[in-house]
């Protein structure tokens, strides 16, 4: 029940150090979960939710990034910490609920002390007491409440026990605060120096020492027995037991953090993620593809062969399909990454790879974003927010478009299919693997080159650092992981969706007009073929074709012509559009065999406009593959890069640098291969 | 003076100070590497960097240059 003093519903901020169970609690309270990140950018995103109805307590809940301390380290962090004091939209929180890991009191109480110092109204949600219990110890809630001066409620993250009690305490706290008038938090800055910080830690250690007690036997605390059982002889032994590391985790780490075995396992896990992104997602992606294909052709035959029928079918439905087709992959990627993060492995992976990455100006934390980049650059750039150092984050975002995203896969499949007959599928597989290695290697080269000239590209100067807790291994909480994955997919759809659909519509317009009603000879053709031929004719007289002819002089040195140019322009919606665009432009009307084979047949017959010279040869196909490795042909990526880097500078640099790299290396490859005698 | 980076695998040491001139000094203190604490080097990553230490009941990985500013008894 809400007090009559409130005009608006209460506003609660949820805060907590990393690995303190904050995300799990947020999940219990809100039902839906937003991925919170360990560090904010200039693009701080907050997760806000209403507390679930079943708890019978109406309040807004803000999930803030996991922080160790209230004292910001960088300008970016300052933005998010300021928002805890006074959120731009919701104002000063009526209550701060802070999650504290019972087995980590001596570290996690730092943030609590700072919040109290800052005069926040706080409530502690004490998590993971089960870990402490395993050591035969427990926290005395009464003592802790007395020593800290706020309410403490025990929460069991495994089953949600205590959440209801936490909310009752929250309600009471807020009501009391209202009765006694509001409060105004003050910025803490006196803990900014080391000696003050050390003093705070001393006090915390004292508190920890006082509140950690041996487990009660029955209703009486049987100190003697417990001491005997646990071999606690004195205060120091007690402290040692509290701070003893999880022995199972230590044993696992003997292998997973081993210099040789650790690295081997790391690469096996990465390869596993990689293959599952493709193999698990492929059938679902095909399903989505087919579904939208049917929808589009149904809509087209229902609405008829006219401009609006074509607009609905090929502009809107196909556009929506090209957004949704990547959702399965993004979901799978984030499910796997979520499981790895929840088990505690991701932090270890970052540690293993930090040194090599730091050599090229990146950070151990860059590896998750880079890996995500193999699915799609958009979630990858969002994932880069976990890199605290701005320069390293910008550099990571910079090279992400070079990671071979899944939209390039259909293009490579077509081009490799042209080079090798289907009977040599294994050779095609090797070439595909080589393309991936090549694109990854290029990203490393680009990163190290930019790192050398970093002052010119990325002026941000700050301390490169890697301080990361490696939490004890635990079973992942699948509901939380699934929720996170769902949210990531939603985020992708919201960010990339409008751009891809919008651009599909613009592109549809450019390819449909002005020659919207071409004259064709229909004799001896069935209806499908007529429509297909009409499409092709329409395209060759369209604005897009004009645009393509405009870039003919650019295509010529590459051994290509305007028709490939048009397809390359179309590929800016999403790279895989290149394939369907080629199909249109080379008038592929044969529907007796799979589309890819028909396109390849048409490509084999194609000659450069006005000559007898073959357009697609081994050299030009290899050239095109190289073009796709480098070129930044994705408007959504550019838009997200602009948003994540806070300006046009980096996305424009990416567009110019990668596209000119693509052009120059394609030029060198095509002409070099011809010099070597290849067709 | 011996620093945390000089420890061997499984070796323990007691922190006396954290070099305040290091840009990461405050973060190092904030995660729990404070004077008086006993730390243990658990493992080193490839190229001996970063290094994972047991401190205050958890495992924390820090870069070698950051470990060098943690001075031991």
């Amino acid at each position: 029940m809400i007090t009559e003093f409130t005009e608006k519903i209460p506003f609660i901020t949820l805060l907590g150090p990393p690995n303190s169970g904050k995300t799990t609690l947020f999940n219990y309270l809100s039902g839906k979960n937003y991925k919170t990140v360990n560090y904010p950018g200039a693009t701080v995103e907050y997760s806000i939710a209403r507390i679930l109805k079943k708890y019978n307590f109406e309040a807004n809940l803000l999930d803030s990034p996991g922080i160790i301390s209230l004292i910001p380290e960088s300008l970016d962090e300052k933005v998010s910490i300021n928002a805890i004091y006074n959120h731009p939209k919701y104002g000063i929180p009526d209550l701060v609920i802070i999650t504290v890991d019972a087995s980590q009191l001596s570290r996690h109480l730092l943030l609590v002390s700072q919040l109290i110092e800052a005069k926040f109204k706080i409530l502690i949600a004490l998590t993971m007491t089960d870990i402490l219990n395993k050591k035969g110890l427990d926290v005395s809630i009464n003592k802790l409440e007395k020593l800290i001066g706020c309410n403490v409620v025990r929460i069991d993250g495994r089953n949600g026990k205590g959440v209801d009690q936490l909310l009752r305490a929250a309600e009471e706290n807020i009501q009391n605060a209202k009765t006694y008038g509001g409060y105004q938090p003050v910025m803490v800055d006196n803990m900014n120096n080391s000696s003050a910080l050390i003093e705070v830690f001393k006090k915390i250690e004292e508190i920890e020492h006082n509140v950690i007690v041996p487990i009660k036997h029955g209703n009486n605390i049987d100190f003697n027995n417990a001491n005997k059982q646990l071999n606690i002889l004195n205060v120091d032994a007690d402290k040692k037991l509290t701070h003893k590391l999880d022995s199972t985790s230590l044993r696992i780490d003997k292998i997973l953090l081993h210099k040789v075995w650790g690295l081997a396992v790391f690469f096996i896990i990465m390869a596993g993620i990689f293959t599952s992104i493709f193999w698990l997602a492929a059938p679902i992606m095909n399903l989505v593809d087919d579904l939208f294909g049917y929808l589009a052709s149904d809509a087209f035959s229902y609405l008829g062969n006219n401009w609006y029928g074509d607009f609905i079918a090929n502009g809107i439905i196909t556009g929506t399909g090209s957004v949704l087709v990547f959702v399965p992959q993004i979901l799978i990627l984030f499910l796997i990454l979520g499981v790895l993060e929840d088990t505690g492995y991701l932090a270890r992976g970052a540690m293993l790879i930090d040194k090599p990455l730091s050599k090229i100006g990146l950070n151990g934390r860059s590896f998750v974003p880079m890996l995500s980049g193999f699915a799609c650059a958009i979630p990858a750039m969002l994932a880069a927010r976990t890199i605290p150092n701005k320069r390293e984050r910008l550099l990571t975002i910079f090279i992400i478009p070079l990671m071979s995203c899944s939209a390039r896969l259909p293009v490579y499949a077509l081009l490799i299919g042209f080079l090798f007959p289907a009977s040599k599928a294994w050779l095609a597989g090797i070439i595909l693997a080589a393309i991936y290695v090549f694109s990854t290697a290029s990203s490393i080269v680009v990163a190290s080159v930019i790192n050398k000239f970093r002052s010119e590209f990325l002026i941000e100067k700050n301390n490169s650092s890697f301080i990361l807790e490696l939490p004890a291994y635990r079973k992942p909480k699948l509901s939380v992981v699934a929720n996170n994955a769902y949210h990531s997919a939603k985020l992708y759809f919201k960010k990339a969706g409008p751009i891809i659909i919008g651009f599909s519509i613009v592109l549809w317009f450019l390819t449909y007009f002005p020659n919207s009603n071409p004259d064709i000879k229909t004799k001896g053709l069935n209806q499908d073929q007529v429509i297909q031929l009409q499409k092709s004719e329409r395209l060759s007289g369209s604005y897009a074709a004009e645009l393509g002819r405009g870039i003919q002089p650019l295509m010529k040195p590459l051994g290509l012509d305007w028709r490939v140019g048009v397809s390359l322009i179309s590929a800016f919606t999403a790279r895989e559009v290149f394939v369907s665009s080629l199909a249109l432009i080379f008038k592929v009307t044969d529907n007796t065999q799979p589309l890819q084979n028909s396109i390849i047949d048409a490509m084999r017959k194609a000659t450069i406009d006005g000559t007898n010279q073959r357009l697609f040869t081994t050299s030009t196909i290899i050239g095109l593959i190289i073009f796709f490795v480098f070129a930044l042909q994705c408007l959504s990526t550019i838009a997200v890069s602009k948003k994540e880097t806070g300006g046009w500078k980096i996305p424009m640099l990416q567009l110019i640098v990668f596209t000119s790299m693509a052009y120059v290396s394609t030029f060198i490859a095509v002409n070099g291969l011809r010099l070597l005698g290849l067709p | 003076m011996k620093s945390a980076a000089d420890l061997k695998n499984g070796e323990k040491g007691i922190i006396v100070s954290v070099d305040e001139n290091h840009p990461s000094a405050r973060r190092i203190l904030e995660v729990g590497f404070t004077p008086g604490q006993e730390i243990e080097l658990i493992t080193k990553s490839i190229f001996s960097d970063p290094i994972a230490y047991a401190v205050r009941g958890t495992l924390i990985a820090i870069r070698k240059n950051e470990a060098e500013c943690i001075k031991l008894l």
Side-chain angles (χ1 to χ4, degrees), chain A residues 284-324:
Chain A
I284 317 173
M285 288 172 87
N286 290 338
L287 208 71
V288 175
D289 221 22
D290 289 349
L291 179 71
F292 278 86
Y294 286 131
L295 276 179
S297 68
D298 274 2
F300 188 70
S301 49
Y302 180 73
L303 294 165
N305 185 11
N306 46 41
W307 75 267
Y308 57 86
D310 204 84
F311 174 69
I312 303 277
N314 296 321
I316 293 180
I317 297 179
T318 313
T320 312
S322 54
V323 180
L324 287 176

Tab-separated table of all heavy atoms in Angstrom, chain A residues 284-324:
chain	number	residue	atom	x	y	z
A	284	ILE	N	17.298	-22.009	-38.218
A	284	ILE	CA	16.279	-21.029	-37.813
A	284	ILE	C	16.315	-19.824	-38.757
A	284	ILE	O	15.282	-19.285	-39.145
A	284	ILE	CB	16.495	-20.560	-36.358
A	284	ILE	CG1	16.838	-21.754	-35.458
A	284	ILE	CG2	15.256	-19.849	-35.836
A	284	ILE	CD1	17.233	-21.371	-34.049
A	285	MET	N	17.559	-19.445	-39.131
A	285	MET	CA	17.679	-18.305	-40.045
A	285	MET	C	17.036	-18.623	-41.390
A	285	MET	O	16.363	-17.782	-41.976
A	285	MET	CB	19.148	-17.929	-40.228
A	285	MET	CG	19.746	-17.268	-39.004
A	285	MET	SD	21.520	-17.030	-39.158
A	285	MET	CE	21.585	-15.456	-39.995
A	286	ASN	N	17.232	-19.845	-41.875
A	286	ASN	CA	16.615	-20.239	-43.137
A	286	ASN	C	15.098	-20.202	-43.031
A	286	ASN	O	14.406	-19.788	-43.963
A	286	ASN	CB	17.056	-21.650	-43.538
A	286	ASN	CG	18.510	-21.667	-43.948
A	286	ASN	OD1	19.054	-20.620	-44.313
A	286	ASN	ND2	19.146	-22.824	-43.872
A	287	LEU	N	14.620	-20.623	-41.864
A	287	LEU	CA	13.177	-20.626	-41.632
A	287	LEU	C	12.616	-19.198	-41.727
A	287	LEU	O	11.615	-18.950	-42.397
A	287	LEU	CB	12.908	-21.207	-40.247
A	287	LEU	CG	11.576	-21.898	-40.054
A	287	LEU	CD1	11.562	-23.211	-40.813
A	287	LEU	CD2	11.310	-22.126	-38.573
A	288	VAL	N	13.304	-18.271	-41.046
A	288	VAL	CA	12.876	-16.865	-41.076
A	288	VAL	C	12.907	-16.350	-42.515
A	288	VAL	O	11.969	-15.702	-42.988
A	288	VAL	CB	13.787	-15.997	-40.174
A	288	VAL	CG1	13.435	-14.526	-40.299
A	288	VAL	CG2	13.674	-16.440	-38.727
A	289	ASP	N	13.979	-16.698	-43.191
A	289	ASP	CA	14.167	-16.275	-44.575
A	289	ASP	C	13.023	-16.782	-45.454
A	289	ASP	O	12.406	-16.032	-46.201
A	289	ASP	CB	15.496	-16.852	-45.077
A	289	ASP	CG	16.248	-15.839	-45.906
A	289	ASP	OD1	15.973	-14.632	-45.749
A	289	ASP	OD2	17.096	-16.263	-46.708
A	290	ASP	N	12.744	-18.087	-45.333
A	290	ASP	CA	11.674	-18.693	-46.124
A	290	ASP	C	10.324	-18.062	-45.795
A	290	ASP	O	9.544	-17.740	-46.682
A	290	ASP	CB	11.588	-20.203	-45.848
A	290	ASP	CG	12.781	-20.939	-46.436
A	290	ASP	OD1	13.517	-20.294	-47.224
A	290	ASP	OD2	12.986	-22.122	-46.107
A	291	LEU	N	10.096	-17.880	-44.505
A	291	LEU	CA	8.819	-17.331	-44.055
A	291	LEU	C	8.568	-15.971	-44.705
A	291	LEU	O	7.496	-15.720	-45.263
A	291	LEU	CB	8.829	-17.203	-42.527
A	291	LEU	CG	7.548	-16.622	-41.925
A	291	LEU	CD1	6.424	-17.644	-42.035
A	291	LEU	CD2	7.756	-16.223	-40.478
A	292	PHE	N	9.577	-15.106	-44.654
A	292	PHE	CA	9.392	-13.773	-45.233
A	292	PHE	C	9.340	-13.825	-46.753
A	292	PHE	O	8.680	-13.003	-47.380
A	292	PHE	CB	10.451	-12.803	-44.704
A	292	PHE	CG	10.085	-12.255	-43.363
A	292	PHE	CD1	10.411	-12.943	-42.205
A	292	PHE	CD2	9.366	-11.077	-43.259
A	292	PHE	CE1	10.043	-12.457	-40.959
A	292	PHE	CE2	8.991	-10.589	-42.021
A	292	PHE	CZ	9.327	-11.274	-40.873
A	293	GLY	N	10.037	-14.809	-47.310
A	293	GLY	CA	9.949	-15.013	-48.760
A	293	GLY	C	8.522	-15.343	-49.170
A	293	GLY	O	7.956	-14.738	-50.082
A	294	TYR	N	7.892	-16.285	-48.433
A	294	TYR	CA	6.508	-16.663	-48.719
A	294	TYR	C	5.572	-15.481	-48.517
A	294	TYR	O	4.700	-15.205	-49.329
A	294	TYR	CB	6.062	-17.817	-47.812
A	294	TYR	CG	6.661	-19.143	-48.197
A	294	TYR	CD1	7.268	-19.964	-47.256
A	294	TYR	CD2	6.623	-19.576	-49.527
A	294	TYR	CE1	7.834	-21.175	-47.610
A	294	TYR	CE2	7.185	-20.792	-49.891
A	294	TYR	CZ	7.794	-21.584	-48.920
A	294	TYR	OH	8.347	-22.765	-49.281
A	295	LEU	N	5.791	-14.798	-47.375
A	295	LEU	CA	4.935	-13.648	-47.059
A	295	LEU	C	4.984	-12.618	-48.187
A	295	LEU	O	3.958	-12.110	-48.628
A	295	LEU	CB	5.394	-12.990	-45.753
A	295	LEU	CG	4.872	-13.592	-44.460
A	295	LEU	CD1	5.441	-12.837	-43.263
A	295	LEU	CD2	3.347	-13.532	-44.428
A	296	ALA	N	6.213	-12.348	-48.654
A	296	ALA	CA	6.383	-11.342	-49.686
A	296	ALA	C	5.697	-11.776	-50.974
A	296	ALA	O	4.981	-10.995	-51.602
A	296	ALA	CB	7.870	-11.076	-49.930
A	297	SER	N	5.880	-13.047	-51.365
A	297	SER	CA	5.288	-13.468	-52.641
A	297	SER	C	3.768	-13.578	-52.514
A	297	SER	O	3.026	-13.258	-53.438
A	297	SER	CB	5.905	-14.779	-53.123
A	297	SER	OG	5.530	-15.828	-52.283
A	298	ASP	N	3.280	-13.963	-51.322
A	298	ASP	CA	1.843	-13.989	-51.106
A	298	ASP	C	1.247	-12.590	-51.200
A	298	ASP	O	0.220	-12.375	-51.858
A	298	ASP	CB	1.514	-14.576	-49.720
A	298	ASP	CG	1.441	-16.094	-49.779
A	298	ASP	OD1	1.687	-16.634	-50.875
A	298	ASP	OD2	1.155	-16.716	-48.739
A	299	ALA	N	1.922	-11.660	-50.534
A	299	ALA	CA	1.442	-10.278	-50.547
A	299	ALA	C	1.428	-9.748	-51.968
A	299	ALA	O	0.498	-9.061	-52.388
A	299	ALA	CB	2.332	-9.409	-49.668
A	300	PHE	N	2.492	-10.113	-52.701
A	300	PHE	CA	2.618	-9.623	-54.071
A	300	PHE	C	1.494	-10.175	-54.951
A	300	PHE	O	0.851	-9.432	-55.689
A	300	PHE	CB	3.981	-10.018	-54.634
A	300	PHE	CG	4.286	-9.403	-55.967
A	300	PHE	CD1	4.545	-8.043	-56.073
A	300	PHE	CD2	4.315	-10.176	-57.111
A	300	PHE	CE1	4.821	-7.465	-57.293
A	300	PHE	CE2	4.599	-9.607	-58.340
A	300	PHE	CZ	4.852	-8.244	-58.428
A	301	SER	N	1.223	-11.466	-54.831
A	301	SER	CA	0.178	-12.027	-55.690
A	301	SER	C	-1.218	-11.571	-55.244
A	301	SER	O	-2.127	-11.456	-56.046
A	301	SER	CB	0.268	-13.549	-55.754
A	301	SER	OG	0.372	-14.073	-54.461
A	302	TYR	N	-1.333	-11.260	-53.955
A	302	TYR	CA	-2.633	-10.788	-53.468
A	302	TYR	C	-2.898	-9.351	-53.925
A	302	TYR	O	-3.991	-9.023	-54.387
A	302	TYR	CB	-2.663	-10.875	-51.941
A	302	TYR	CG	-3.967	-10.420	-51.324
A	302	TYR	CD1	-5.114	-11.216	-51.424
A	302	TYR	CD2	-4.057	-9.197	-50.662
A	302	TYR	CE1	-6.312	-10.795	-50.877
A	302	TYR	CE2	-5.252	-8.768	-50.116
A	302	TYR	CZ	-6.378	-9.568	-50.221
A	302	TYR	OH	-7.559	-9.152	-49.674
A	303	LEU	N	-1.860	-8.511	-53.796
A	303	LEU	CA	-2.033	-7.093	-54.107
A	303	LEU	C	-1.886	-6.811	-55.597
A	303	LEU	O	-2.286	-5.758	-56.085
A	303	LEU	CB	-1.027	-6.244	-53.319
A	303	LEU	CG	-1.217	-6.237	-51.803
A	303	LEU	CD1	0.007	-5.701	-51.101
A	303	LEU	CD2	-2.449	-5.413	-51.433
A	304	GLY	N	-1.293	-7.753	-56.314
A	304	GLY	CA	-1.150	-7.592	-57.757
A	304	GLY	C	0.171	-6.964	-58.151
A	304	GLY	O	0.892	-6.401	-57.324
A	305	ASN	N	0.450	-7.098	-59.439
A	305	ASN	CA	1.719	-6.610	-59.966
A	305	ASN	C	1.644	-5.113	-60.236
A	305	ASN	O	1.489	-4.675	-61.364
A	305	ASN	CB	2.050	-7.394	-61.242
A	305	ASN	CG	3.411	-7.025	-61.778
A	305	ASN	OD1	4.188	-6.345	-61.114
A	305	ASN	ND2	3.694	-7.464	-62.996
A	306	ASN	N	1.691	-4.329	-59.189
A	306	ASN	CA	1.670	-2.873	-59.340
A	306	ASN	C	2.611	-2.267	-58.312
A	306	ASN	O	3.209	-2.995	-57.523
A	306	ASN	CB	0.250	-2.353	-59.161
A	306	ASN	CG	-0.403	-2.980	-57.936
A	306	ASN	OD1	0.256	-3.125	-56.903
A	306	ASN	ND2	-1.652	-3.397	-58.051
A	307	TRP	N	2.705	-0.948	-58.291
A	307	TRP	CA	3.747	-0.353	-57.444
A	307	TRP	C	3.524	-0.617	-55.962
A	307	TRP	O	4.453	-0.895	-55.227
A	307	TRP	CB	3.912	1.149	-57.729
A	307	TRP	CG	2.816	2.018	-57.165
A	307	TRP	CD1	1.687	2.418	-57.784
A	307	TRP	CD2	2.772	2.579	-55.840
A	307	TRP	NE1	0.918	3.168	-56.976
A	307	TRP	CE2	1.560	3.301	-55.750
A	307	TRP	CE3	3.618	2.542	-54.725
A	307	TRP	CZ2	1.178	3.972	-54.605
A	307	TRP	CZ3	3.235	3.212	-53.579
A	307	TRP	CH2	2.031	3.916	-53.519
A	308	TYR	N	2.266	-0.557	-55.499
A	308	TYR	CA	2.096	-0.740	-54.045
A	308	TYR	C	2.234	-2.201	-53.633
A	308	TYR	O	2.712	-2.499	-52.549
A	308	TYR	CB	0.798	-0.093	-53.535
A	308	TYR	CG	-0.481	-0.569	-54.191
A	308	TYR	CD1	-1.148	-1.704	-53.723
A	308	TYR	CD2	-1.011	0.127	-55.276
A	308	TYR	CE1	-2.317	-2.133	-54.337
A	308	TYR	CE2	-2.176	-0.297	-55.889
A	308	TYR	CZ	-2.829	-1.430	-55.421
A	308	TYR	OH	-3.966	-1.866	-56.021
A	309	GLY	N	1.836	-3.080	-54.537
A	309	GLY	CA	2.055	-4.502	-54.253
A	309	GLY	C	3.543	-4.780	-54.120
A	309	GLY	O	4.000	-5.462	-53.195
A	310	ASP	N	4.286	-4.211	-55.040
A	310	ASP	CA	5.729	-4.395	-55.012
A	310	ASP	C	6.341	-3.719	-53.784
A	310	ASP	O	7.258	-4.253	-53.154
A	310	ASP	CB	6.338	-3.794	-56.293
A	310	ASP	CG	7.665	-4.412	-56.625
A	310	ASP	OD1	7.675	-5.472	-57.263
A	310	ASP	OD2	8.707	-3.856	-56.202
A	311	PHE	N	5.780	-2.550	-53.447
A	311	PHE	CA	6.298	-1.810	-52.286
A	311	PHE	C	6.103	-2.609	-50.996
A	311	PHE	O	7.042	-2.776	-50.203
A	311	PHE	CB	5.581	-0.458	-52.179
A	311	PHE	CG	5.936	0.319	-50.946
A	311	PHE	CD1	7.205	0.862	-50.791
A	311	PHE	CD2	5.009	0.499	-49.924
A	311	PHE	CE1	7.540	1.568	-49.664
A	311	PHE	CE2	5.343	1.202	-48.781
A	311	PHE	CZ	6.614	1.742	-48.651
A	312	ILE	N	4.873	-3.117	-50.809
A	312	ILE	CA	4.598	-3.889	-49.597
A	312	ILE	C	5.468	-5.157	-49.574
A	312	ILE	O	6.116	-5.459	-48.568
A	312	ILE	CB	3.103	-4.310	-49.526
A	312	ILE	CG1	2.185	-3.091	-49.597
A	312	ILE	CG2	2.824	-5.180	-48.296
A	312	ILE	CD1	1.950	-2.351	-48.313
A	313	ALA	N	5.506	-5.853	-50.701
A	313	ALA	CA	6.201	-7.138	-50.731
A	313	ALA	C	7.714	-6.968	-50.658
A	313	ALA	O	8.375	-7.548	-49.791
A	313	ALA	CB	5.812	-7.912	-51.988
A	314	ASN	N	8.262	-6.147	-51.565
A	314	ASN	CA	9.719	-6.075	-51.672
A	314	ASN	C	10.344	-4.953	-50.865
A	314	ASN	O	11.530	-4.992	-50.566
A	314	ASN	CB	10.127	-5.958	-53.138
A	314	ASN	CG	9.745	-7.196	-53.906
A	314	ASN	OD1	9.868	-8.309	-53.387
A	314	ASN	ND2	9.228	-7.017	-55.106
A	315	GLY	N	9.543	-3.945	-50.528
A	315	GLY	CA	10.083	-2.874	-49.694
A	315	GLY	C	9.946	-3.235	-48.235
A	315	GLY	O	10.929	-3.431	-47.528
A	316	ILE	N	8.702	-3.396	-47.789
A	316	ILE	CA	8.459	-3.526	-46.348
A	316	ILE	C	8.687	-4.947	-45.829
A	316	ILE	O	9.455	-5.150	-44.888
A	316	ILE	CB	7.042	-3.023	-45.997
A	316	ILE	CG1	7.003	-1.513	-46.251
A	316	ILE	CG2	6.675	-3.353	-44.557
A	316	ILE	CD1	5.698	-0.855	-45.954
A	317	ILE	N	8.031	-5.939	-46.471
A	317	ILE	CA	8.143	-7.305	-45.925
A	317	ILE	C	9.579	-7.826	-46.025
A	317	ILE	O	10.140	-8.332	-45.055
A	317	ILE	CB	7.145	-8.266	-46.613
A	317	ILE	CG1	5.720	-7.793	-46.327
A	317	ILE	CG2	7.354	-9.708	-46.141
A	317	ILE	CD1	4.630	-8.623	-46.951
A	318	THR	N	10.182	-7.643	-47.195
A	318	THR	CA	11.564	-8.111	-47.346
A	318	THR	C	12.497	-7.358	-46.402
A	318	THR	O	13.400	-7.939	-45.812
A	318	THR	CB	12.022	-7.946	-48.803
A	318	THR	OG1	11.011	-8.454	-49.658
A	318	THR	CG2	13.316	-8.672	-49.066
A	319	GLY	N	12.242	-6.059	-46.247
A	319	GLY	CA	13.062	-5.246	-45.337
A	319	GLY	C	12.972	-5.756	-43.909
A	319	GLY	O	13.992	-5.926	-43.230
A	320	THR	N	11.752	-6.043	-43.459
A	320	THR	CA	11.562	-6.564	-42.100
A	320	THR	C	12.257	-7.916	-41.955
A	320	THR	O	12.891	-8.199	-40.941
A	320	THR	CB	10.057	-6.732	-41.800
A	320	THR	OG1	9.398	-5.529	-42.198
A	320	THR	CG2	9.813	-6.983	-40.336
A	321	GLY	N	12.144	-8.729	-43.006
A	321	GLY	CA	12.794	-10.040	-42.992
A	321	GLY	C	14.293	-9.913	-42.824
A	321	GLY	O	14.912	-10.663	-42.068
A	322	SER	N	14.887	-8.908	-43.499
A	322	SER	CA	16.348	-8.797	-43.414
A	322	SER	C	16.792	-8.307	-42.045
A	322	SER	O	17.956	-8.431	-41.679
A	322	SER	CB	16.907	-7.931	-44.548
A	322	SER	OG	16.273	-6.695	-44.581
A	323	VAL	N	15.880	-7.761	-41.258
A	323	VAL	CA	16.224	-7.418	-39.867
A	323	VAL	C	16.101	-8.675	-39.006
A	323	VAL	O	16.987	-9.019	-38.235
A	323	VAL	CB	15.265	-6.343	-39.298
A	323	VAL	CG1	15.650	-6.007	-37.870
A	323	VAL	CG2	15.302	-5.097	-40.154
A	324	LEU	N	14.969	-9.361	-39.174
A	324	LEU	CA	14.664	-10.483	-38.280
A	324	LEU	C	15.575	-11.691	-38.501
A	324	LEU	O	15.767	-12.490	-37.602
A	324	LEU	CB	13.206	-10.906	-38.448
A	324	LEU	CG	12.190	-9.941	-37.846
A	324	LEU	CD1	10.773	-10.388	-38.144
A	324	LEU	CD2	12.395	-9.849	-36.332
